[in-house]
Amino acid sequence: MALLTPDDLRDINKQLQEADSIVRRVTGLDIKGICKTLYGTSPNSEKIGIVPVTAGNGIIKNFSASLHAITQYFGFDSFVTDMSDVSGYYEAVRSGADIILMADDHTFLAHNLKNGKIANNQPSTGIIYAEIASRNQKTDSKDVLVVGLGKVGFPGAVHLVHKGFRVYGYDTDKTLLKRAVSSLGIIPFDIESPKRFSTIFEATPCANTIPETLLSENCVLSTPGIPCAISEELRLKYNVQLVMEPLGIGTASMLYSVL
Ligand code: NAD
Ligand code: 2YH
């Protein structure tokens, strides 16, 4: 289980603005536009209560403040509760929150108290990064490589299969790879084979998971994985269109999915 660090969240507004401009360049839509088409929803003055949670490894400095900045960036009315945990939840509801955002070490959820819908950050993140990859405007190829088939990557792979892509998958965990091959019909990929891709979706907690032999010029790498799947040197050499941001894109996906 990988936890975000305050350093990951530094200058979250700037990271989000930069990610939004890359998403626009890659897909022709901004993050809001992607969310609207993905879920068919739009905000309607929902108020969001963000509750800090001390369980497990405790409060992550900047986490609640980053969620506040992110929700404001997407035009939501939001606030962070003064109290944490159960008292914070009570405070959020009493202060008129329609949607609760809260995370412990394992689960980051959005719960819409008005309609009962609930979202989990991991599948929501996988789905939106896969959706961004699927909208690569620079290619007609239906081939997509998915690297990492865990709690984020697997739902992303499901989404790409449902959208009709020819999905190649790789995970160092052979059991997970087998599960994806048998349940989704994806093509098991040997990471050492020299096939180049114009679109890659990566969701692992490891650095440098994408070798140079898989990259094509101007390819799209849509990756929520932290740290980055490629080196800065490779990004520049292949002019890789890198969509990577630590919290905001996945949070937007969660929120639009519960509207
Ligand atoms: P997970 O542990 O469930 O899945 C990760 C998978 O990657 C595992 O199946 C593992 O076997 C595989 N893997 C590890 N090294 C690999 C390698 N070199 N090549 C191929 N596969 C490899 O983790 P998760 O919950 O799916 O999260 C994945 C990453 O996404 C983490 O870094 C997490 O912090 C990050 N994340 C980011 C956001 C965001 O908004 N940016 C949101 C959620 C999670
Ligand atoms: O970062 C995390 C976990 N990786 C779960 C999210 C799944 N992608 N949790 C954040 C914990 C926040 C902390 N409890 C706080 O500050 O409220």
XYZ file of all heavy atoms in Angstrom, residues 1-4 51-55 58-60 63-64 103-108 121-122, ligand 2:
182
model
N 0.849 -1.189 0.000
C 0.000 0.000 0.000
C 0.895 1.254 0.000
O 1.731 1.442 0.866
C -0.887 -0.059 1.240
C -1.754 1.122 1.478
S -1.088 2.190 2.772
C -0.665 1.056 4.068
N 0.724 2.082 -1.064
C 1.573 3.275 -1.177
C 0.811 4.493 -0.655
O -0.313 4.739 -1.066
C 1.955 3.476 -2.630
N 1.440 5.222 0.254
C 0.803 6.431 0.780
C 1.378 7.663 0.106
O 2.577 7.715 -0.192
C 1.066 6.546 2.286
C 0.219 5.686 3.219
C 0.692 5.855 4.653
C -1.256 6.063 3.116
N 0.519 8.642 -0.122
C 1.009 9.905 -0.665
C 1.887 10.592 0.369
O 1.690 10.411 1.574
C -0.186 10.811 -0.975
C -0.967 10.476 -2.242
C -2.279 11.237 -2.251
C -0.144 10.787 -3.479
N -13.000 15.439 5.355
C -12.788 15.063 6.760
C -11.381 14.470 6.929
O -11.095 13.398 6.386
C -13.840 14.024 7.209
C -13.650 13.676 8.677
C -15.259 14.526 6.944
N -10.487 15.131 7.669
C -9.172 14.531 7.946
C -9.339 13.272 8.804
O -10.203 13.236 9.673
C -8.427 15.630 8.732
C -9.192 16.898 8.466
C -10.617 16.490 8.253
N -8.505 12.254 8.525
C -8.611 10.967 9.227
C -7.255 10.631 9.857
O -6.228 10.629 9.167
C -9.047 9.856 8.235
C -8.992 8.484 8.890
C -10.457 10.130 7.711
N -7.290 10.346 11.182
C -6.014 10.086 11.890
C -5.650 8.606 11.963
O -4.565 8.274 12.428
C -6.079 10.622 13.345
O -7.086 9.891 14.048
C -6.375 12.106 13.400
N -6.538 7.711 11.514
C -6.302 6.263 11.654
C -5.014 5.835 10.938
O -4.564 6.501 10.004
C -7.486 5.503 11.058
N -1.982 8.093 10.039
C -2.373 9.431 10.487
C -2.530 10.457 9.373
O -2.532 10.130 8.184
N -2.639 11.706 9.801
C -2.866 12.822 8.875
C -1.639 12.987 7.971
O -0.510 12.969 8.443
C -3.060 14.136 9.680
C -4.213 14.010 10.688
C -3.186 15.340 8.775
C -5.582 14.226 10.161
N -1.890 13.140 6.677
C -0.807 13.478 5.745
C -0.853 14.989 5.563
O -1.887 15.542 5.141
C -0.994 12.768 4.389
C -0.883 11.261 4.574
C 0.014 13.268 3.369
C -1.185 10.452 3.323
N -2.773 16.884 2.710
C -3.761 16.041 2.014
C -5.125 16.735 1.964
O -5.691 16.945 0.881
C -3.864 14.661 2.682
C -4.774 13.708 1.950
C -4.363 13.089 0.780
C -6.056 13.431 2.416
C -5.204 12.209 0.093
C -6.901 12.561 1.743
C -6.471 11.950 0.572
N -5.666 17.109 3.134
C -6.984 17.751 3.148
C -6.927 19.102 2.430
O -7.849 19.454 1.675
C -7.471 17.949 4.592
O -7.723 16.697 5.178
N -10.201 9.766 3.642
C -9.304 8.648 3.306
C -8.560 8.161 4.534
O -8.063 8.960 5.334
C -8.285 9.093 2.259
N -8.465 6.824 4.671
C -7.479 6.260 5.604
C -6.338 5.702 4.755
O -6.188 6.071 3.581
C -8.125 5.237 6.554
C -8.628 3.976 5.839
O -8.308 3.771 4.653
O -9.335 3.189 6.487
N -5.535 4.802 5.331
C -4.370 4.301 4.582
C -4.760 3.392 3.421
O -3.969 3.148 2.511
C -3.451 3.499 5.510
C -2.816 4.377 6.574
O -2.953 5.608 6.493
O -2.183 3.818 7.488
N -5.979 2.847 3.454
C -6.378 1.842 2.457
C -7.438 2.340 1.489
O -7.461 1.928 0.326
C -6.907 0.582 3.164
C -5.932 0.043 4.148
N -4.820 -0.655 3.770
C -5.878 0.143 5.504
C -4.122 -0.984 4.845
N -4.740 -0.507 5.905
N -8.339 3.161 1.988
C -9.495 3.555 1.174
C -9.666 5.065 1.183
O -9.651 5.686 2.250
C -10.787 2.897 1.732
O -10.605 1.484 1.768
C -11.994 3.234 0.864
N -9.834 5.614 -0.001
C -10.163 7.035 -0.169
C -11.522 7.037 -0.860
O -11.656 6.544 -1.975
C -9.063 7.707 -1.004
C -9.354 9.104 -1.468
C -10.259 9.938 -0.817
C -8.670 9.615 -2.570
C -10.515 11.230 -1.253
C -8.909 10.915 -3.026
C -9.843 11.714 -2.364
N -11.377 5.595 -4.666
C -10.361 6.280 -5.470
C -9.637 5.366 -6.457
O -9.301 5.805 -7.576
C -9.344 6.931 -4.528
C -8.196 7.585 -5.256
O -7.091 7.047 -5.291
N -8.445 8.718 -5.856
N -9.381 4.111 -6.082
C -8.530 3.283 -6.954
C -9.200 2.967 -8.296
O -8.646 3.302 -9.349
C -8.077 2.032 -6.208
C -7.030 2.389 -5.155
C -7.024 1.469 -3.960
O -8.021 0.845 -3.631
N -5.893 1.376 -3.289
O -2.922 8.007 0.329
C -3.736 7.302 0.891
C -3.888 5.843 0.540
N -2.955 5.494 -0.511
C -5.303 5.492 0.161
C -5.735 6.133 -1.109
C -5.908 5.138 -2.209
N -5.308 5.669 -3.404
N -4.525 7.748 1.873
C -4.504 9.109 2.318
C -4.612 9.193 3.826
C -4.989 10.588 4.276
C -4.945 10.824 5.768
N -5.701 9.864 6.509
C -5.491 12.223 6.009
O -4.697 13.193 5.967
O -6.702 12.368 6.245
